[in-house]
Amino acid sequence: MSRLRSRWRAWVTLCAEEERATVLAVVRIGVASVLLVDLLIAARLELVEVLWGPSSAGGFGAMDTLEPSPVLAFRWLGASLGTTRLVYGVAVASALSMVLGTFSRTSTLVLAIALSQLAAILPQADRGIDAVLRNALFVLACSGCGRALSIDAWREHGRWLPDVRVPAWPRRLIVVQLLWMYFSAGLHKSQLTWWPPGDFAALYVVLLDPHFASYDFSSWLAHVYRLTQLGTVATMAFEIGAPLMGLALWYRRTAHRGGRMRAAFAFLRVREVWLAVGIGFHVALIFTLRLGIFPWGMLALYPAFLTPSELDALVARVRAGMRRGARPIRAC
């Protein structure tokens, strides 16, 4: 009983820890920006009414045919193009408000609800990245992500980066969700081409698929087949190895306890290597495959892997590098 009580106290202490709001603010801006651009692209392509309009008005949405409709907006306001435009407009306005950091908590929650309604209208168009980012929105709505780099922070403190502290658990929960998503994605890759019986040919196959490939790789891809195999192996190792990243984060947090495993993880720089592979993986997807906002949305969540002090150190190193690069060359 005493052991259970001590573990409960440790859990409460962990959940009560606080940190500066900078990392969550960066995640807020990144996630909202990706979602805002995605919504605006749908409007530019004139897809808003086509994708999310009710079938009775010529749209793809069929949820207005059910009684009662599972779409609350249709049930309350009627299944019409006007309702679709209203829900879409609310989503765009709340995404913009979230980027700027005005009424941050409310705008984040409203955006999550509006996107949930659009997903309910046409579930077939609801991508995996949409679900990931909606989950992140609900977590951010419970956080202090609007207390830095926001108009809210400027109004309250007269500064964009005030020295305020917020609960750390929302950032950590985003990290846990990301690790679980990667791990489950690796386990669900059941096609043989991802595994030795399929010759690790998955990336080679998808890069030759004109539906997904950004360019025509067919003229030379066979000459670098071994590299595509290596990419497939690296992808599987990265995703299935996600729990190792969680362990690396825990070892880093408890470095004072020592031990061979902590020393080995530190020496091998497991955390840094895993993050570098993840960033490289998503950047490669941006340039080689047409996957919509998936790589952008995932990268928008990556700052959550850093603590505020680590983010400050990274920004300082980047600034120092830029100053060195901008230093004029003196004539001899």
Side-chain angles (χ1 to χ4, degrees), residues 132-145:
V132 170
L133 295 182
R134 279 200 308 275
N135 287 342
L137 287 176
F138 283 113
V139 175
L140 289 172
C142 299
S143 73
C145 65

Side-chain angles (χ1 to χ4, degrees), residues 87-119:
V87 175
Y88 173 82
V90 168
V92 170
S94 55
L96 178 59
S97 178
M98 188 177 166
V99 171
L100 299 175
T102 54
F103 306 103
S104 303
R105 194 183 299 272
T106 301
S107 62
T108 302
L109 184 59
V110 169
L111 177 59
I113 294 173
L115 292 176
S116 297
Q117 288 298 286
L118 293 177

Side-chain angles (χ1 to χ4, degrees), residues 180-252:
W180 174 251
M181 188 218 71
Y182 281 125
F183 182 62
S184 60
L187 292 182
H188 281 83
K189 283 183 169 60
S190 57
Q191 298 92 338
L192 284 180
T193 52
W194 288 103
W195 301 95
D199 202 31
F200 293 116
L203 290 186
Y204 179 79
V205 172
V206 75
L207 287 172
L208 290 178
D209 189 334
H211 179 75
F212 292 107
S214 299
Y215 308 98
D216 182 6
F217 299 106
S218 59
S219 61
W220 56 270
L221 194 64
H223 300 295
V224 292
Y225 179 65
R226 295 299 183 189
L227 290 179
T228 64
Q229 287 180 304
L230 181 61
T232 301
V233 173
T235 300
M236 294 302 296
F238 168 74
E239 293 184 339
I240 296 180
L244 291 178
M245 175 59 169
L247 192 57
L249 292 172
W250 174 250
Y251 282 162
R252 188 179 182 88

